Amino acid sequence: MTTTPAPTLDAPPATAPGPATPTVPTSATAAATAPAPTAGPPARRLLLGGVVGGPLFLVVGLVQGVTRDGFSFTRNAISQLALGDPGWIQTVNFVLAAALLVTGAVGLRRTLHAGPGGTWAPVLAGVFGASFAAAAVFPADAGAGFPAGAPETPTLSAHGAVHMLSGMVGYLALCAVFLLLARVFTARGDRAWALGSRLAPAAVLAGFAASGATVTAFTAGAAVGLCWLSAATARLRAAGVS
């Protein structure tokens, strides 16, 4: 007698693995893995205004100073170049400097973010830039023989007083910017740049204090401020985020 083998249960057919279910990161995970903000190309382009603004203003002023009849750097301030028939050149110089410096201040804001000096350094740099616009609208008084025929001792006018006040406020704001940038450079470990940013306000104020003895000291103090702002901004632009 033959026996029929008992039926066997076949194993269930294997199923192909389905697509993996994507994992949705939580907000905390996304925040932790998100890249830190960086000073991208827009910020770098804006900072270029702060790099160029001061030196360009000085170069245009120096060229005018050596070519304008009757002007002397030992007796006259650069702002007086806005007087006389060719004075429109210096007025445009003031306006252009204001635009570039304010643009640089916006770049500082985007670069420094919420780090040391990230709030007030850009604001005060903007105040400094705006002071150049005010100087363009309210020109300095004639005096010290310039323009030709002007009295030696100037009479302080209303627009001349506003011009002086705007310059004083602007450069005091710039000195504060330098002290704030010293904190930025200290946090970055740039000790030399931090030291320079602490010494620059002293040089600016010393030049202004000595302006009673010679106008050259005033011009030199203003030039130090403009050049150090340019150099410090270039340093931040090269390094990126603070």
PDB file of all heavy atoms in Angstrom, residues 72-77 207 210-211 213-223:
ATOM      1  N   SER A  72      44.368 126.818   2.015  1.00  0.00           N
ATOM      2  CA  SER A  72      45.569 126.331   2.687  1.00  0.00           C
ATOM      3  C   SER A  72      45.162 125.352   3.775  1.00  0.00           C
ATOM      4  O   SER A  72      44.293 125.665   4.603  1.00  0.00           O
ATOM      5  CB  SER A  72      46.356 127.491   3.312  1.00  0.00           C
ATOM      6  OG  SER A  72      47.403 127.011   4.135  1.00  0.00           O
ATOM      7  N   PHE A  73      45.795 124.192   3.780  1.00  0.00           N
ATOM      8  CA  PHE A  73      45.459 123.185   4.783  1.00  0.00           C
ATOM      9  C   PHE A  73      45.890 123.609   6.184  1.00  0.00           C
ATOM     10  O   PHE A  73      45.426 123.032   7.169  1.00  0.00           O
ATOM     11  CB  PHE A  73      46.109 121.842   4.432  1.00  0.00           C
ATOM     12  CG  PHE A  73      45.425 121.130   3.305  1.00  0.00           C
ATOM     13  CD1 PHE A  73      45.995 121.088   2.038  1.00  0.00           C
ATOM     14  CD2 PHE A  73      44.198 120.512   3.498  1.00  0.00           C
ATOM     15  CE1 PHE A  73      45.364 120.434   0.995  1.00  0.00           C
ATOM     16  CE2 PHE A  73      43.558 119.858   2.451  1.00  0.00           C
ATOM     17  CZ  PHE A  73      44.141 119.816   1.196  1.00  0.00           C
ATOM     18  N   THR A  74      46.768 124.598   6.269  1.00  0.00           N
ATOM     19  CA  THR A  74      47.181 125.083   7.581  1.00  0.00           C
ATOM     20  C   THR A  74      46.221 126.127   8.145  1.00  0.00           C
ATOM     21  O   THR A  74      46.284 126.441   9.330  1.00  0.00           O
ATOM     22  CB  THR A  74      48.593 125.693   7.505  1.00  0.00           C
ATOM     23  OG1 THR A  74      48.583 126.810   6.609  1.00  0.00           O
ATOM     24  CG2 THR A  74      49.594 124.661   7.037  1.00  0.00           C
ATOM     25  N   ARG A  75      45.333 126.652   7.297  1.00  0.00           N
ATOM     26  CA  ARG A  75      44.425 127.702   7.755  1.00  0.00           C
ATOM     27  C   ARG A  75      42.952 127.381   7.529  1.00  0.00           C
ATOM     28  O   ARG A  75      42.085 127.928   8.198  1.00  0.00           O
ATOM     29  CB  ARG A  75      44.753 129.021   7.025  1.00  0.00           C
ATOM     30  CG  ARG A  75      46.193 129.477   7.218  1.00  0.00           C
ATOM     31  CD  ARG A  75      46.520 130.684   6.368  1.00  0.00           C
ATOM     32  NE  ARG A  75      45.798 131.863   6.834  1.00  0.00           N
ATOM     33  CZ  ARG A  75      44.976 132.582   6.088  1.00  0.00           C
ATOM     34  NH1 ARG A  75      44.740 132.228   4.821  1.00  0.00           N
ATOM     35  NH2 ARG A  75      44.378 133.646   6.579  1.00  0.00           N
ATOM     36  N   ASN A  76      42.658 126.505   6.587  1.00  0.00           N
ATOM     37  CA  ASN A  76      41.268 126.240   6.205  1.00  0.00           C
ATOM     38  C   ASN A  76      40.899 124.775   6.417  1.00  0.00           C
ATOM     39  O   ASN A  76      41.726 123.881   6.244  1.00  0.00           O
ATOM     40  CB  ASN A  76      41.034 126.602   4.739  1.00  0.00           C
ATOM     41  CG  ASN A  76      41.418 128.034   4.419  1.00  0.00           C
ATOM     42  OD1 ASN A  76      42.394 128.285   3.691  1.00  0.00           O
ATOM     43  ND2 ASN A  76      40.672 128.992   4.955  1.00  0.00           N
ATOM     44  N   ALA A  77      39.622 124.566   6.775  1.00  0.00           N
ATOM     45  CA  ALA A  77      39.099 123.209   6.926  1.00  0.00           C
ATOM     46  C   ALA A  77      38.612 122.694   5.574  1.00  0.00           C
ATOM     47  O   ALA A  77      38.172 123.472   4.720  1.00  0.00           O
ATOM     48  CB  ALA A  77      37.952 123.201   7.936  1.00  0.00           C
ATOM     49  N   GLY A 207      43.179 115.457  17.981  1.00  0.00           N
ATOM     50  CA  GLY A 207      43.231 116.353  16.831  1.00  0.00           C
ATOM     51  C   GLY A 207      42.218 117.468  16.932  1.00  0.00           C
ATOM     52  O   GLY A 207      42.516 118.628  16.636  1.00  0.00           O
ATOM     53  N   ALA A 210      43.245 120.087  19.512  1.00  0.00           N
ATOM     54  CA  ALA A 210      44.347 120.955  19.089  1.00  0.00           C
ATOM     55  C   ALA A 210      43.965 121.852  17.920  1.00  0.00           C
ATOM     56  O   ALA A 210      44.806 122.606  17.426  1.00  0.00           O
ATOM     57  CB  ALA A 210      45.557 120.102  18.704  1.00  0.00           C
ATOM     58  N   SER A 211      42.699 121.784  17.491  1.00  0.00           N
ATOM     59  CA  SER A 211      42.295 122.576  16.326  1.00  0.00           C
ATOM     60  C   SER A 211      42.348 124.075  16.591  1.00  0.00           C
ATOM     61  O   SER A 211      42.461 124.869  15.655  1.00  0.00           O
ATOM     62  CB  SER A 211      40.874 122.188  15.902  1.00  0.00           C
ATOM     63  OG  SER A 211      39.942 122.455  16.950  1.00  0.00           O
ATOM     64  N   ALA A 213      44.787 125.567  17.924  1.00  0.00           N
ATOM     65  CA  ALA A 213      46.147 125.998  17.620  1.00  0.00           C
ATOM     66  C   ALA A 213      46.440 125.928  16.136  1.00  0.00           C
ATOM     67  O   ALA A 213      47.104 126.803  15.580  1.00  0.00           O
ATOM     68  CB  ALA A 213      47.147 125.134  18.394  1.00  0.00           C
ATOM     69  N   THR A 214      45.942 124.885  15.481  1.00  0.00           N
ATOM     70  CA  THR A 214      46.173 124.739  14.049  1.00  0.00           C
ATOM     71  C   THR A 214      45.060 123.901  13.434  1.00  0.00           C
ATOM     72  O   THR A 214      44.663 122.859  13.997  1.00  0.00           O
ATOM     73  CB  THR A 214      47.536 124.073  13.762  1.00  0.00           C
ATOM     74  OG1 THR A 214      47.623 123.779  12.366  1.00  0.00           O
ATOM     75  CG2 THR A 214      47.731 122.811  14.556  1.00  0.00           C
ATOM     76  N   VAL A 215      44.560 124.323  12.282  1.00  0.00           N
ATOM     77  CA  VAL A 215      43.517 123.583  11.595  1.00  0.00           C
ATOM     78  C   VAL A 215      44.046 122.240  11.099  1.00  0.00           C
ATOM     79  O   VAL A 215      43.289 121.273  10.946  1.00  0.00           O
ATOM     80  CB  VAL A 215      42.971 124.410  10.416  1.00  0.00           C
ATOM     81  CG1 VAL A 215      41.905 123.634   9.647  1.00  0.00           C
ATOM     82  CG2 VAL A 215      42.400 125.729  10.903  1.00  0.00           C
ATOM     83  N   THR A 216      45.349 122.165  10.881  1.00  0.00           N
ATOM     84  CA  THR A 216      45.944 120.916  10.403  1.00  0.00           C
ATOM     85  C   THR A 216      45.683 119.779  11.378  1.00  0.00           C
ATOM     86  O   THR A 216      45.446 118.629  10.957  1.00  0.00           O
ATOM     87  CB  THR A 216      47.453 121.092  10.193  1.00  0.00           C
ATOM     88  OG1 THR A 216      47.686 122.199   9.317  1.00  0.00           O
ATOM     89  CG2 THR A 216      48.076 119.849   9.589  1.00  0.00           C
ATOM     90  N   ALA A 217      45.714 120.081  12.685  1.00  0.00           N
ATOM     91  CA  ALA A 217      45.455 119.052  13.686  1.00  0.00           C
ATOM     92  C   ALA A 217      44.029 118.539  13.570  1.00  0.00           C
ATOM     93  O   ALA A 217      43.770 117.324  13.680  1.00  0.00           O
ATOM     94  CB  ALA A 217      45.704 119.610  15.082  1.00  0.00           C
ATOM     95  N   PHE A 218      43.089 119.439  13.317  1.00  0.00           N
ATOM     96  CA  PHE A 218      41.691 119.041  13.141  1.00  0.00           C
ATOM     97  C   PHE A 218      41.549 118.117  11.924  1.00  0.00           C
ATOM     98  O   PHE A 218      40.896 117.073  11.995  1.00  0.00           O
ATOM     99  CB  PHE A 218      40.822 120.279  12.965  1.00  0.00           C
ATOM    100  CG  PHE A 218      39.384 119.986  12.630  1.00  0.00           C
ATOM    101  CD1 PHE A 218      38.475 119.718  13.636  1.00  0.00           C
ATOM    102  CD2 PHE A 218      38.946 119.969  11.312  1.00  0.00           C
ATOM    103  CE1 PHE A 218      37.143 119.435  13.336  1.00  0.00           C
ATOM    104  CE2 PHE A 218      37.628 119.695  10.998  1.00  0.00           C
ATOM    105  CZ  PHE A 218      36.726 119.430  12.020  1.00  0.00           C
ATOM    106  N   THR A 219      42.173 118.522  10.822  1.00  0.00           N
ATOM    107  CA  THR A 219      42.101 117.712   9.601  1.00  0.00           C
ATOM    108  C   THR A 219      42.736 116.346   9.815  1.00  0.00           C
ATOM    109  O   THR A 219      42.210 115.320   9.353  1.00  0.00           O
ATOM    110  CB  THR A 219      42.788 118.439   8.438  1.00  0.00           C
ATOM    111  OG1 THR A 219      42.188 119.728   8.262  1.00  0.00           O
ATOM    112  CG2 THR A 219      42.671 117.651   7.150  1.00  0.00           C
ATOM    113  N   ALA A 220      43.859 116.320  10.528  1.00  0.00           N
ATOM    114  CA  ALA A 220      44.539 115.053  10.792  1.00  0.00           C
ATOM    115  C   ALA A 220      43.681 114.143  11.669  1.00  0.00           C
ATOM    116  O   ALA A 220      43.591 112.934  11.427  1.00  0.00           O
ATOM    117  CB  ALA A 220      45.884 115.310  11.456  1.00  0.00           C
ATOM    118  N   GLY A 221      43.036 114.720  12.681  1.00  0.00           N
ATOM    119  CA  GLY A 221      42.170 113.917  13.542  1.00  0.00           C
ATOM    120  C   GLY A 221      41.002 113.322  12.779  1.00  0.00           C
ATOM    121  O   GLY A 221      40.658 112.145  12.954  1.00  0.00           O
ATOM    122  N   ALA A 222      40.390 114.137  11.919  1.00  0.00           N
ATOM    123  CA  ALA A 222      39.285 113.631  11.097  1.00  0.00           C
ATOM    124  C   ALA A 222      39.762 112.545  10.149  1.00  0.00           C
ATOM    125  O   ALA A 222      39.071 111.532   9.934  1.00  0.00           O
ATOM    126  CB  ALA A 222      38.660 114.785  10.313  1.00  0.00           C
ATOM    127  N   ALA A 223      40.959 112.722   9.584  1.00  0.00           N
ATOM    128  CA  ALA A 223      41.502 111.735   8.655  1.00  0.00           C
ATOM    129  C   ALA A 223      41.780 110.415   9.352  1.00  0.00           C
ATOM    130  O   ALA A 223      41.535 109.335   8.785  1.00  0.00           O
ATOM    131  CB  ALA A 223      42.775 112.272   8.001  1.00  0.00           C
TER     132      ALA A 223
END
